[in-house]
Amino acid sequence: MRTLTFQGTQKVSVETVPDPRIEEPTDVIVKITSTAICGSDLHLYDVMGAFINKGDVLGHEPMGIVVEVGSAITKLAVGDRVVIPFVIACGHCYMCTRGLTSQCETTQNRESGSGASLYGYTELYGDVPGGQAEYLRVQLADFNATKVGADLPDERYLFLSDILPTAWQGVKYAAVPDGGTLGVLGLGPVGQFVSRIGKHFGYRVLAIDPVAERRQMAERHGVETLDLTDDALAQLRDLTDGRGPDSIVDAVGMEAHGNPGAEFAQKAAGLLPDAIAKKVMTTAGVDRLAALHLALDAVRRGGTVSLSGVYAGVADPMPLKDMFDKGMTLRMGQCNVQNWRDEILPLVEDPSDPLGTEDLTTHAVPLEQAPEMYEIFKNKEDGCIKVVLKP
Ligand SMILES: NC(=O)c1ccc[n+]([C@@H]2O[C@H](COP(=O)([O-])OP(=O)(O)OC[C@H]3O[C@@H](n4cnc5c(N)ncnc54)[C@H](O)[C@@H]3O)[C@@H](O)[C@H]2O)c1
Ligand SMILES: [Zn+2]
Ligand SMILES: [Zn+2]
């Protein structure tokens, strides 16, 4: 089959590899019909290369049709249309029964100190071949593969694999009071859905992003937006009676704009030989923290900051004095996709498309064009906001 493979920092290519096969009775094989590129893939592309092997298959936002089922499968059949959560979980362990599927104790990666295995997400998360491919081996499929209807287009359902539940969790963890104000940092695909979900729950949503067309997309969905200027913090306060938003979701993560020093260090780490880069990345603070620090600064006293954006530094500086003094709450984590999908599915299938799932994809292209789309998405060229690959 054809698949998108990692070849080194900022280098990916489409290659032919053997088709995946059923390895466990609980597996199914899915023929992928749509598979998206995520902001998290950009972290792999730019920064995390030391933890990925040349030739590894990336991708964790796929959907498609079941073409083969393992002997222990009871809930799925050949021909079913399914969305695949990026998190692989068992559904019955201590963590899964508490809704914490991203901490699943059956697939947890204890040797690397990481949570549940993830598709296409480095040796830290189980080295599992990803979904930017023609076929995917789906593990523990009865619990994980999410069956969906046959009539609506892929773009309605696809984002259930990751960014819709991620945004949903981000908003839930933000604990916005009824009728309160939600600040959103970053209007990439995750921030777009965070903002729309905030509106759906009846909050006032104030969102910041430096990219004009991303702000325009958010405005189409009733969101008030601000550019990322030097006085963004002052503007946020002015708009909220001087206090700051009740809650803020950081939908930016470790590659925020506004940290030139850390950007240089990250790029340098990405280009070091793997062994040395791993040492740097497992001992130093390598994240660009502009967005996180803005969130901590801007949230009102007693408010909540919720991190959807991914961070990976192990010694990042945090303003604990101010966090303590403000009496704020900080929540974060990989999304527990399987915990939220049943709540979100009716909204996705609602004929009025209340979360605007069909107004996000700017580029739907053949898998063969994936390498150029990584560059375009990363550089935010050509109005790119979300890329969907069609294998
Ligand atoms: N927690 C999870 O399970 C989970 C799941 C999916 C994605 N993520 C993470 O969510 C984050 C966003 O993903 P995405 O797909 O939307 O990526 P993206 O890179 O397209 O979006 C990031 C956005 O932030 C903006 N930005 C950059 N610096 C900023 C700053 N200082 N202030 C405000 N905005 C700034 C960029 O212009 C961009 O629009 C990434 O870190 C990704 O890894 C987490
Ligand atoms: Zn993702
Ligand atoms: Zn589990």
Side-chain angles (χ1 to χ4, degrees):
M1 66 168 179
R2 300 289 281 166
T3 117
L4 192 276
T5 62
F6 183 81
Q7 295 293 328
T9 295
Q10 294 178 9
K11 238 174 44 212
V12 291
S13 64
V14 180
E15 305 290 339
T16 301
V17 305
D19 289 357
R21 287 177 319 152
I22 300 273
E23 292 174 27
E24 299 289 337
T26 46
D27 292 346
V28 304
I29 303 293
V30 172
K31 182 177 189 345
I32 303 302
T33 53
S34 293
T35 180
I37 305 179
C38 179
S40 301
D41 293 323
L42 297 181
H43 302 325
L44 304 182
Y45 187 67
D46 279 336
V47 186
M48 305 287 292
F51 299 99
I52 318 171
N53 298 311
K54 192 168 186 254
D56 281 358
V57 180
L58 303 185
H60 59 265
E61 300 189 358
M63 69 177 289
I65 306 290
V66 175
V67 291
E68 204 182 331
V69 299
S71 57
I73 292 293
T74 58
K75 297 183 179 151
L76 298 162
V78 170
D80 283 349
R81 188 183 191 207
V82 289
V83 180
I84 312 304
F86 77 99
V87 176
I88 304 171
C90 74
H92 55 71
C93 71
Y94 179 94
M95 292 294 171
C96 284
T97 50
R98 286 161 178 76
L100 298 167
T101 57
S102 66
Q103 313 300 333
C104 174
E105 291 181 339
T106 305
T107 72
Q108 229 180 59
N109 292 278
R110 292 176 177 81
E111 53 309 327
S112 63
S114 306
S117 290
L118 311 177
Y119 287 101
Y121 223 77
T122 79
E123 60 192 42
L124 301 174
Y125 289 98
D127 243 337
V128 185
Q132 287 164 5
E134 284 183 292
Y135 293 91
L136 178 68
R137 172 186 163 230
V138 176
Q139 302 180 34
L140 305 171
D142 266 342
F143 179 63
N144 290 301
T146 309
K147 244 201 274 194
V148 298
D151 298 335
L152 295 166
D154 275 12
E155 279 69 13
R156 275 286 184 115
Y157 290 114
L158 181 61
F159 306 126
L160 282 169
S161 58
D162 176 352
I163 56 172
L164 255 185
T166 291
W168 191 267
Q169 175 171 304
V171 176
K172 293 264 177 171
Y173 280 10
V176 191
D178 280 349
T181 300
L182 171 66
V184 181
L185 303 185
L187 286 169
V190 174
Q192 296 288 339
F193 279 141
V194 167
S195 302
R196 296 175 196 179
I197 290 164
K199 292 300 293 180
H200 178 74
F201 289 150
Y203 311 138
R204 180 181 183 199
V205 180
L206 301 169
I208 299 184
D209 196 289
V211 181
E213 64 268 14
R214 295 182 176 214
R215 294 197 300 273
Q216 281 156 16
M217 178 180 268
E219 285 162 14
R220 285 206 288 279
H221 296 268
V223 175
E224 295 168 67
T225 70
L226 300 171
D227 193 359
L228 180 64
T229 51
D230 289 343
D231 65 345
L233 177 61
Q235 288 190 54
L236 266 185
R237 291 208 175 118
D238 282 350
L239 289 163
T240 50
D241 298 326
R243 291 193 190 94
D246 299 301
S247 308
I248 296 189
V249 173
D250 170 352
V252 181
M254 63 167 97
E255 292 179 80
H257 293 261
N259 294 99
E263 179 174 359
F264 178 79
Q266 263 182 353
K267 288 217 169 98
L271 298 173
L272 288 170
D274 280 2
I276 302 170
K278 275 187 195 172
K279 184 82 188 144
V280 171
M281 300 204 51
T282 51
T283 53
V286 292
D287 293 328
R288 283 146 64 180
L289 298 172
L292 172 59
H293 284 176
L294 175 60
L296 298 174
D297 214 357
V299 74
R300 70 147 160 80
R301 288 181 173 272
T304 302
V305 169
S306 162
L307 309 182
S308 292
V310 169
Y311 290 92
V314 292
D316 289 333
M318 293 290 276
L320 276 172
K321 182 254 166 198
D322 293 337
M323 294 167 67
F324 182 85
D325 185 67
K326 286 174 86 163
M328 54 163 290
T329 303
L330 179 60
R331 289 200 76 178
M332 64 193 95
Q334 298 286 3
C335 182
N336 302 303
V337 177
Q338 296 85 345
N339 188 48
W340 308 111
R341 59 187 168 187
D342 294 347
E343 273 174 57
I344 308 172
L345 191 59
L347 291 172
V348 164
E349 292 185 326
D350 185 321
S352 72
D353 193 16
L355 301 181
T357 53
E358 292 191 55
D359 183 25
L360 187 75
T361 305
T362 51
H363 293 69
V365 302
L367 177 68
E368 297 294 325
Q369 285 177 32
E372 61 188 275
M373 291 319 301
Y374 266 74
E375 277 297 305
I376 290 172
F377 178 45
K378 168 182 133 86
N379 296 323
K380 303 174 180 69
E381 292 161 359
D382 195 27
C384 185
I385 297 177
K386 187 69 177 176
V387 181
V388 176
L389 306 168
K390 303 281 182 180

